[in-house]
Amino acid sequence: MNDHPINVAGVDAVIAKVRAVYGRWRRDTPVAQMRADWDQLFGATGDARFTPVQADGVPCAWVAAPGVRADRAIVYFHGGGFQVGSLQSHRELMGRLSAAAGVRVLGVDYRLAPEHHHPAPLEDALAVMRWLGAQGLPLPHTALAGDSAGGGLALATLLALQAQGDERPAAAFLLSAWTDLAATGESYETRAKADPIHQRPMIQAMARNFLGPQADARDPLASPLYADAAALGRLPPLLLQVGDRETVLSDSVQFAQRANAAGGRAVCQAWPEMVHVFQQFPNELPQARAALAEGGLFLAAHLGGASTGDIAP
């Protein structure tokens, strides 16, 4: 993992880009403006084919790099604190993941707060998984992936699917996953000075906005870190990547530890000097490109070998 020298200028450029967006936001900034700003931050689109589709009423898009197979799929849940982020903001990341894994990616445009609270995103995720089954893609022919809030949503989806049957997705790839909406991890203290963007008060405010007045921050379907051992032990193989400078570092480290202690298979990679969802900056950071390549290889290995005669255009 990560044999590339740290490009300090590249990391600083990424931090400056994100801070420039956050710095424009005030308490009275409309959420529509915040979403537009976030989409503009990640303007690149890449060369992957982008095909919008309605998945049982949930807006989605197929993202397919040239020549990938169509009989397997990665379902991707974007990050953004459950309040911003979209298929547009994550279009390049999904395209690169499609190329790295050799399969199509289905991006999910799940409902966001403050218009919709928990469990609306999870309901959308489960609807998409049912729709995929009806399209001829059963759970073992799929894998899940997501970053930040989307990483937590991917894990919550895996937990919810357990109650619906014995089949499960083949694997999951989580990028800076937000697994603990209660924000109890020690990294909120140990990485507070190193993380240039996210601090505990911001994380807690986003959690309150998403959960609404009724939900519990320790509900495992909102915060997968609190799932019981039996559920964690039945999860498919997991690869978690996180930046070592992140205040949410503990969310990934502790989740992997608990999953492995319960009999699961989880690998957690903490990438030195990297920031939150650094994989979303592949043009600036060689570590982002390397991390996505590793994630793609991991998912491809669990989705099975190449098929013949079933390649997406």
Side-chain angles (χ1 to χ4, degrees):
M1 180 198 76
N2 189 20
D3 57 357
H4 298 278
I6 304 300
N7 179 357
V8 175
V11 176
D12 288 345
V14 164
I15 292 169
K17 288 175 68 173
V18 176
R19 279 180 163 171
V21 172
Y22 279 23
R24 293 197 295 268
W25 296 348
R26 301 291 183 264
R27 289 184 180 275
D28 60 348
T29 301
V31 68
Q33 183 61 56
M34 296 169 69
R35 291 170 183 166
D37 290 346
W38 198 244
D39 286 353
Q40 188 174 10
L41 175 62
F42 307 102
T45 58
D47 61 354
R49 183 187 295 263
F50 185 88
T51 307
V53 64
Q54 289 287 321
D56 199 15
V58 180
C60 296
W62 283 113
V63 183
V68 299
R69 62 190 294 188
D71 64 337
R72 301 289 189 273
I74 298 166
V75 182
Y76 196 92
F77 302 103
H78 68 78
F82 291 112
Q83 282 134 97
V84 300
S86 69
L87 301 178
Q88 180 60 36
S89 65
H90 285 66
R91 181 170 173 174
E92 183 178 19
L93 190 157
M94 292 187 291
R96 287 181 179 258
L97 185 58
S98 173
V103 303
R104 291 188 297 170
V105 172
L106 183 67
V108 181
D109 199 11
Y110 57 86
R111 287 172 288 172
L112 297 175
E115 299 94 327
H116 306 281
H117 298 299
H118 172 71
L122 180 58
E123 293 169 350
D124 290 348
L126 294 174
V128 168
M129 300 310 294
R130 290 191 299 269
W131 178 83
L132 279 174
Q135 303 302 304
L137 278 168
L139 290 177
H141 290 182
T142 68
L144 304 189
D147 65 281
S148 194
L153 178 57
L155 290 169
T157 302
L158 291 174
L159 293 170
L161 288 170
Q162 285 184 6
Q164 299 182 1
D166 294 330
E167 288 190 328
R168 66 184 188 183
F173 174 40
L174 299 320
L175 298 70
S176 299
W178 191 18
T179 70
D180 179 14
L181 272 64
T184 63
E186 67 174 12
S187 56
Y188 283 102
E189 302 297 335
T190 63
R191 298 300 189 276
K193 292 182 179 179
D195 191 322
I197 301 167
H198 297 107
Q199 298 297 318
R200 180 179 268 141
M202 175 193 291
I203 296 293
Q204 291 174 326
M206 288 192 299
R208 288 192 299 270
N209 205 29
F210 166 61
L211 291 168
Q214 304 299 324
D216 180 1
R218 298 185 187 230
D219 174 358
L221 295 181
S223 294
L225 184 66
Y226 298 101
D228 62 39
L232 292 174
R234 295 196 300 271
L235 290 174
L238 308 174
L239 174 61
L240 298 96
Q241 294 178 344
V242 63
D244 190 58
R245 293 179 62 172
E246 298 192 51
T247 54
V248 293
L249 172 65
S250 294
D251 283 52
S252 292
V253 173
Q254 290 183 346
F255 190 91
Q257 289 173 342
R258 293 187 183 187
N260 287 328
R265 289 183 290 163
V267 174
C268 182
Q269 300 175 341
W271 288 65
E273 296 301 319
M274 292 297 106
V275 294
H276 191 63
V277 197
F278 64 94
Q279 300 91 336
Q280 208 166 359
F281 298 92
N283 296 315
E284 293 89 348
L285 301 174
Q287 287 81 3
R289 299 190 293 273
L292 287 171
E294 285 200 36
L297 288 173
F298 168 81
L299 294 176
H302 290 287
L303 284 170
S307 63
T308 58
D310 196 3
I311 302 298

